[in-house]
Amino acid sequence: MASSHGTPPVFTNKIVAWIDYRLPIFSYIEKEYHTFPTPRNFNYFWNFGAIATVMLVLMIATGIVLAINYTPYVTMAFDSVERIDRDVPQGWLIRDLHMNGASFFFIAVYIHIFRGMYYGSYKAPRELLWILGVVIFLLMMATAFMGYVLPWGQMSFWGATVITSLFSAIPVVGDAVVTWLWGGFSVGNPTLNRFYALHYLLPFIIVAVVALHVVALHVHGSNNPTGIDPKGPQDTVPFHPYYTMKDGFGVVVFLIVFSGFVFFAPDYLGHPDNYIPADPLVTPAHIVPEWYFLPFYAILRAVPDKLGGVIAMFGAIAVLFILPWLDTSRVRSATFRPIYKWFMMVLVVDVVVLGLCGANPPAGFWIPLSQVATLYYFFHFLILLPILGKIERPLPLPPSIADSVLKKKAG
Amino acid sequence: MASSSVPADGHGDHTRRDFLMVATGALGAVGAAAVAWPFINNLNPAADTLALASVEVNVKPIEVGQAITVSWRGKPVFIRHRTAKDIKEAEAVPMSELPDPQTDNARVTDTAKKVRPEWLIMIGVCTHLGCVPLGNKPGQDKGPYGGWYCPCHGSAYDTSGRIRKGPAPLNLAIPQYLFLSDSLVRIG
């Protein structure tokens, strides 16, 4: 692929040429975002990396502005958020963008993860690219959790209590670890202060890991819907203008849906209980995390043992790290894997079912349902994937990307 | 090292070089740990947080069968004036039925070793993931064992605050407390 990069660009603008000779940022942009050879057959699933990046930038921009008006102190935090909503010029807009932005960042990332799983983007030589992605996902979860604590409503407080208490399940040192996380004997002012500091820090660490994610991506280039490597210039197009346009289009469509929530249903994805100031003596009748954590919350509750539940919940994310080695099939794309294709859809249904279980109280048929769904989740990764790769007979792969595209056109 | 057979000029003296590398690395690791420690310990509770040590509560107005919630170290503490039926039920439970076996007597003894079965004083924090169980206020769901019930993940406690059913591993914790008189108790 390096061959199609051609000769380094010559800049006619003297200032650009002067800078580029000393710090080759323009050459870099030219090479990685303009001429960069990209498979010509992307579908719209390939938009979500760019969409997630836009959401990250939006979250940081709105977050910095919110921080200017926010007060991280237990007696003032709730009121300072209300003040942002009511009194600060355009504060309501910035806050609603940030609040709903978190949800839409997760929507983009979940679709991005699904894309990676369906088209086998995690397979050699992109294992590290995938692992960096899981690291970003974990950092996002930590950041979102700590951000949700800052308005200091009832869900903030009790969400913080339940999630930090997960660590008390660690044998021997658990309670000491929890006291250390809290900076006290319960969730309180020291907890709010440190969560605020970390909530401001972590997004910049996410930016750094995203940079590594992109560097790793640009070593071997993107995967594509056929899962076969580009074999020459006939299989690729330059990143700009082809995919800058396509990504731009996808971003705009995504932002239209996002704006619908921001302007017409800003609290639809939140919980009314978080508009009640935190009360350390009263737990809300029904504690639920934000929707994007519900499947993992259901796994936590599915196991009738404290330590077991915590291990299962973290295990559900840990299996993603070793996914490139659990999937033994040498064919990347589900398009050519007749059995895996269906199991991948079953996994999506399973995760949605887990989400529903997490949203409902732990009683009645929700308990056995969440247990079955949890078992299936681990069955998919730990048993099905290693075996399926051995027994499944893949469909014949097309000879090249160009070939598959042109055949589709002709047919 | 002196007995090493390699030439005195040090070339090829792997043993000596290795020793220096390991010693330097070990010293560096100790230094890094020493620098990391203040940063880690900094996150532990501060002196003023630790100083919020005790509260005194007048229990005289609490009628038999009533319970109150007081705040201690930012946590709710349940004080229940138990009925004779509560006490009898709690004492009758065989130890073999308890996930965290503890006699009822052991849970109603103050720091002066005086047993007061009518007063059950415990930290109202579910030992699963820290929610406040229901059952301390009239009309709340006391759960299948007549004590407390945690709505978050379904743990049920008996009239002695011991875990009977659900994901919580331990009984509700008993804080240190001392009855200064028959009506005044100091918690902490």
Side-chain angles (χ1 to χ4, degrees):
Chain A
M1 285 214 295
S3 60
S4 52
H5 280 207
T7 48
V10 180
F11 297 102
T12 44
N13 184 313
K14 278 189 176 154
I15 298 171
V16 170
W18 187 92
I19 294 172
D20 200 72
Y21 184 65
R22 286 151 183 86
L23 181 69
I25 44 173
F26 297 102
S27 298
Y28 172 82
I29 292 168
E30 176 75 13
K31 176 168 167 275
E32 302 293 341
Y33 296 99
H34 184 182
T35 59
F36 190 70
T38 314
R40 61 192 280 182
N41 58 338
F42 281 179
N43 56 32
Y44 280 108
F45 276 118
W46 264 262
N47 275 354
F48 286 90
I51 290 170
T53 311
V54 168
M55 292 315 292
L56 176 60
V57 172
L58 178 96
M59 292 306 282
I60 291 177
T62 51
I64 290 171
V65 180
L66 285 174
I68 289 168
N69 282 298
Y70 171 76
T71 313
Y73 194 84
V74 284
T75 53
M76 291 182 262
F78 187 87
D79 290 344
S80 78
V81 174
E82 284 305 300
R83 181 177 164 270
I84 289 170
D85 256 354
R86 292 154 195 258
D87 296 343
V88 176
Q90 262 72 60
W92 60 273
L93 175 63
I94 304 288
R95 177 169 182 244
D96 288 349
L97 284 171
H98 197 75
M99 224 163 70
N100 289 281
S103 282
F104 276 77
F105 193 5
F106 273 99
I107 290 174
V109 162
Y110 278 131
I111 297 174
H112 190 62
I113 293 172
F114 167 78
R115 196 285 320 275
M117 285 184 174
Y118 189 84
Y119 294 105
S121 299
Y122 48 81
K123 294 186 190 182
R126 298 187 182 84
E127 301 95 325
L128 273 181
L129 173 61
W130 170 263
I131 287 171
L132 286 167
V134 182
V135 170
I136 294 168
F137 179 48
L138 270 178
L139 287 169
M140 275 177 68
M141 292 175 111
T143 310
F145 159 66
M146 288 191 271
Y148 194 62
V149 175
L150 302 184
W152 210 244
Q154 272 290 67
M155 280 295 175
S156 298
F157 183 90
W158 290 101
T161 300
V162 167
I163 301 299
T164 49
S165 296
L166 292 178
F167 294 92
S168 69
I170 304 169
V172 189
V173 293
D175 287 327
V177 167
V178 173
T179 303
W180 178 76
L181 284 172
W182 287 341
F185 302 108
S186 57
V187 172
N189 200 52
T191 326
L192 180 60
N193 275 208
R194 61 191 57 190
F195 279 17
Y196 180 52
L198 293 173
H199 183 69
Y200 206 119
L201 166 73
L202 287 184
F204 297 97
I205 294 179
I206 293 178
V207 169
V209 185
V210 167
L212 291 176
H213 192 65
V214 172
V215 169
L217 172 69
H218 280 221
V219 175
H220 293 283
S222 299
N223 184 30
N224 66 81
T226 64
I228 56 176
D229 292 326
K231 295 190 170 76
Q234 74 281 5
D235 288 341
T236 64
V237 289
F239 188 79
H240 178 76
Y242 293 96
Y243 286 121
T244 44
M245 282 303 124
K246 188 163 183 167
D247 281 346
F249 176 69
V251 166
V252 168
V253 171
F254 189 83
L255 290 181
I256 289 171
V257 180
F258 173 54
S259 303
F261 276 84
V262 169
F263 290 101
F264 297 105
D267 288 309
Y268 181 76
L269 297 167
H271 300 292
D273 275 23
N274 219 30
Y275 286 100
I276 302 168
D279 181 350
L281 300 187
V282 180
T283 308
H286 185 199
I287 300 189
V288 268
E290 290 285 83
W291 69 267
Y292 37 81
F293 291 138
L294 288 175
F296 300 103
Y297 192 58
I299 292 175
L300 167 77
R301 296 194 306 191
V303 183
D305 173 79
K306 184 172 169 178
L307 181 59
V310 172
I311 289 173
M313 190 184 73
F314 284 107
I317 297 164
V319 290
L320 298 178
F321 279 103
I322 53 169
L323 176 59
W325 296 275
L326 291 173
D327 185 350
T328 50
S329 172
R330 290 163 70 180
V331 174
R332 289 198 191 110
S333 173
T335 313
F336 305 106
R337 297 187 60 188
I339 307 176
Y340 172 76
K341 179 193 258 177
W342 292 107
F343 277 112
M344 190 59 224
M345 301 321 287
V346 175
L347 180 71
V348 171
V349 172
D350 184 62
V351 171
V352 172
V353 168
L354 279 171
L356 290 173
C357 292
N360 282 284
F365 78 98
W366 292 109
I367 297 173
L369 184 63
S370 64
Q371 288 168 340
V372 170
T374 300
L375 280 177
Y376 183 80
Y377 181 92
F378 285 104
F379 165 80
H380 176 94
F381 287 104
L382 297 176
I383 297 168
L384 183 78
L385 285 186
I387 295 174
L388 198 57
K390 307 275 188 212
I391 60 170
E392 183 183 42
R393 174 190 271 239
L395 303 176
L397 296 176
S400 74
I401 292 172
D403 210 69
S404 80
V405 173
L406 298 175
K407 207 169 268 171
K408 209 184 273 174
K409 277 258 167 67
Chain B
M1 230 63 66
S3 64
S4 167
S5 61
V6 291
D9 64 8
H11 288 295
D13 187 351
H14 293 299
T15 323
R16 184 172 185 167
R17 186 59 57 88
D18 288 351
F19 172 78
L20 286 171
M21 288 293 283
V22 169
T24 312
L27 197 66
V30 170
V35 173
W37 172 242
F39 288 85
I40 294 166
N41 192 34
N42 181 266
L43 297 178
N44 273 317
D48 63 333
T49 309
L50 292 168
L52 297 170
S54 65
V55 288
E56 286 181 10
V57 184
N58 179 6
V59 295
K60 204 165 184 183
I62 310 170
E63 302 285 343
V64 176
Q66 276 191 338
I68 64 161
T69 306
V70 296
S71 178
W72 173 65
R73 288 178 163 183
K75 294 177 188 179
V77 169
F78 292 163
I79 305 177
R80 188 188 271 195
H81 195 165
R82 298 195 295 179
T83 61
K85 181 168 163 280
D86 287 342
I87 298 167
K88 220 170 111 190
E89 271 177 25
E91 284 173 347
V93 180
M95 288 298 113
S96 58
E97 274 183 28
L98 297 171
D100 179 17
Q102 203 178 12
T103 61
D104 185 56
N105 253 6
R107 296 176 57 78
V108 289
T109 309
D110 71 6
T111 45
K113 301 279 174 240
K114 187 157 163 52
V115 180
R116 293 171 195 265
E118 67 275 26
W119 292 110
L120 179 62
I121 300 177
M122 19 176 231
I123 296 174
V125 172
C126 181
T127 57
H128 181 226
L129 294 175
C131 296
V132 178
L134 299 175
N136 222 41
K137 284 189 182 141
Q140 282 183 341
D141 184 3
K142 287 183 156 65
Y145 296 92
W148 288 264
Y149 174 73
C150 184
C152 292
H153 307 96
S155 293
Y157 298 89
D158 65 13
T159 55
S160 187
R162 292 173 298 198
I163 180 66
R164 299 297 290 274
K165 190 167 164 278
L170 300 173
N171 302 333
L172 290 175
I174 305 291
Q176 288 208 337
Y177 64 89
L178 176 66
F179 275 87
L180 304 170
S181 70
D182 278 345
S183 61
L184 192 66
V185 61
R186 188 175 69 207
I187 300 164

